[in-house]
Amino acid sequence: MKTKKLILTAILTAFALVAFVIEGAIPPLTPIYGVKLGLANIFTLFALYALGTRYAAAVMSLRIVLGSIFTGQLVSFIYSLSGGLLSFLLMILLKRFFPLKQLWVLSVLCAVMHNVGQLAAAVFMTQTLAIAYYLPVLILSGIIAGAFTGLCAQLVLMRIAKIQYKN
Amino acid sequence: MKLLRKACILVMTAAVIFSSGCSLESKYDCEFFAMDTVMTINTYGSKSESAVKAAQNEINRLDKLLSVQKENSEIFKLNQSKKMTVSEDTLTLITRSKEIYTLTDGAFDISCEPLIREWGFYSGLENKVPSQKAIETALEGVGAEHIKIENSTVTLDDNTSLDLGGIAKGYASHKAAEILKDNGVTSALMSLGGNVRAVGSKPDGESWSVAITDPDDNSKSIGTLKISDKAVVTSGGYQRYFEENGQIYHHIIDTKTGYPADSGLKSVTIVSDDDALADALSTALFVMGLEKSEEFYSENSSLFGAVFITDKGEIYVTDNLKDSFMSEQGFEVISV
Amino acid sequence: MTNRIWIVVFSVVALLCLGIWLFISNVSSPSKVVGIYKDGSLVEKIDLNSVTDEREITLSGDFGDNVILVSNGRIEMKSADCPDKICVEHGELKSSSSPIVCLPNKVVIKFENSTDGADAKAGAVG
């Protein structure tokens, strides 16, 4: 059983990495840091609901570390990490309030938190408060991106659950 | 119930994140109207609120005492009766004003009331260019020799009236700053209608930065001064003026001519430990013009520092301020 | 049922953010004075209206150089050695609500209020 979960974790991490790299290769929609879909989160959310907190943490942290190395963007590491940590804390804190049917809600909350965390890190690193003007855009983009990735994970998980019931 | 818990957790998380971004230093701000202008007091520290209230009361008290226009003020009554025993504050200010009159060779003169009245710079009056005759009549009562002080009794000549408007705000900010300090406030910044007074430095120990209004566009500034525990007062023709037949007449009247000072300056900013002096000198040096002010500075450089903006838009800064003044524009330094 | 509540909540928040963003990004900066910041400290303050000759400002950071192009009434990031180039994509600095940011090199270019950074203003009227 444990081995199965480990393998699944590895596969999900690989998927997440691929999604991350592909997304990074697409030119950004807007010249604003943090406005992106965050496709890799689909796999973190999937791991959280299918495997549990510890496995999700593994998928997430491995993805951040390896992703930063693969894309050569070590700078974004610190921003990614600060946003990632915040949103992950929120994720495990709130997970028990959101059944599978409301996975997308949790995803939105986490995505927003992720963007807010990243922005806070950016304000801190550059010591320039003016960047906080981007807060509304980042909350908006967090809601959209969070809903999208959340729904992706939720729909897949619900399908899988159905199949399992049938068997 | 569940939703409530969710909401609670969300709010708490948010609170933790945002509170870490704010400083724990408590801040108390107050804005009020006195002496015909808007005043703001910003303080830092735990005991600020009561201290600010006390400072505000003091400013209101002085306003009631020193106003030229309020019918119950001592100055109003003195101007009516021409002879009166006055309170300590009023006496101090009139005595001080006479000293500064002598110091500035008459460029600062509180007996300017009849002239200001002729030009209509009091509320309720209409701005107009007075006739030459009216100015000559008004000038008869102007000059510190028409004010006599004996013990605490002030006597004015028949056609003399006082207006402490050029020094009262400075005196008020000095008194207010003292009250704040007595109440344990170590960091505060006041603005009494553009008269700025700093108490101590910022809570983080840095100097306050005080911008100087751009005379051509009051929403902008022409530079900033880094100061702590000092008064910064600017006088400029742009602050109050009217236009008649295409000519602009501002409110700083040269008591030697009876006309708005035409000294080639747009504004004068004074930095000093002494608020009342800063207030009075900003007017006096504006009237004197740059050349005389340079002379005056070389004799009194220990008392104040100054920033001049000329009609051409050039900036001149006295050498004791050259390191604390910053501007995007270049500036000349006036040495002793 | 709860799904519906959440949809409403998120829609409201999203619309609110959109509104705020549209509002602040349409407020054009009253001044044409920009500040260039590196690691949080001011490198240079420029009044864009008083620029006559086009010039370049080069800042070096951990991730190479940022080249800023200044011309009359206009400022932009011409090139950057950082990997993402988001600051270059940003184009011209137009609104005080969207400063040009280069996170890798910690460079920020933004509009300054006239009294920006000042605690008080001497000689202000009323």
Side-chain angles (χ1 to χ4, degrees), chain B residues 229-244:
Chain B
D229 226 3
K230 282 201 167 25
V232 182
V233 182
T234 300
S235 282
Y238 64 89
Q239 285 160 332
R240 218 185 267 181
Y241 59 87
F242 69 95
E243 219 180 306
E244 197 173 297

Side-chain angles (χ1 to χ4, degrees), chain C residues 27-42:
Chain C
V27 177
S28 58
S29 174
S31 80
K32 269 284 185 184
V33 179
V34 295
I36 300 168
Y37 293 81
K38 166 102 183 87
D39 296 321
S41 54
L42 185 68

Side-chain angles (χ1 to χ4, degrees), chain A residues 69-136:
Chain A
I69 294 170
F70 283 7
T71 53
Q73 298 193 12
L74 274 171
V75 221
S76 58
F77 180 68
I78 183 135
Y79 303 107
S80 258
L81 201 66
S82 50
L85 268 175
L86 261 179
S87 73
F88 194 76
L89 273 174
L90 192 74
M91 202 187 272
I92 52 178
L93 217 81
L94 297 187
K95 199 230 157 187
R96 57 203 170 113
F97 302 117
F98 296 97
L100 185 52
K101 271 195 172 166
Q102 260 130 38
L103 189 157
W104 72 276
V105 177
L106 181 65
S107 169
V108 169
L109 294 178
C110 290
V112 170
M113 186 52 74
H114 180 268
N115 286 357
V116 170
Q118 263 193 344
L119 190 67
V123 167
F124 184 74
M125 294 284 287
T126 59
Q127 304 270 308
T128 313
L129 198 64
I131 302 176
Y133 273 121
Y134 286 120
L135 189 63

Side-chain angles (χ1 to χ4, degrees), chain C:
Chain C
M1 191 53 212
T2 30
N3 264 337
R4 227 177 270 169
I5 295 172
W6 283 110
I7 290 171
V8 172
V9 169
F10 290 143
S11 308
V12 169
V13 175
L15 282 175
L16 212 68
C17 285
L18 188 68
I20 293 172
W21 174 249
L22 287 179
F23 179 73
I24 60 175
S25 55
N26 274 329
V27 177
S28 58
S29 174
S31 80
K32 269 284 185 184
V33 179
V34 295
I36 300 168
Y37 293 81
K38 166 102 183 87
D39 296 321
S41 54
L42 185 68
V43 178
E44 203 169 332
K45 221 174 186 186
I46 306 167
D47 183 353
L48 292 181
N49 286 334
S50 65
V51 177
T52 45
D53 300 318
E54 197 173 282
R55 67 184 169 113
E56 285 178 4
I57 300 164
T58 306
L59 298 174
S60 307
D62 305 342
F63 291 82
D65 291 347
N66 288 75
V67 182
I68 300 158
L69 183 68
V70 187
S71 52
N72 187 272
R74 194 184 152 92
I75 188 164
E76 67 183 308
M77 191 73 82
K78 193 184 170 199
S79 66
D81 290 339
C82 59
D84 55 35
K85 306 265 192 290
I86 282 183
C87 51
V88 181
E89 301 266 333
H90 188 290
E92 183 191 349
L93 180 67
K94 284 194 182 118
S95 151
S96 46
S97 64
S98 29
I100 300 176
V101 185
C102 173
L103 279 187
N105 281 335
K106 291 175 216 154
V107 173
V108 177
I109 306 171
K110 66 185 184 87
F111 280 114
E112 303 281 342
N113 294 324
S114 46
T115 47
D116 209 52
D119 304 298
K121 200 171 173 189
V125 190

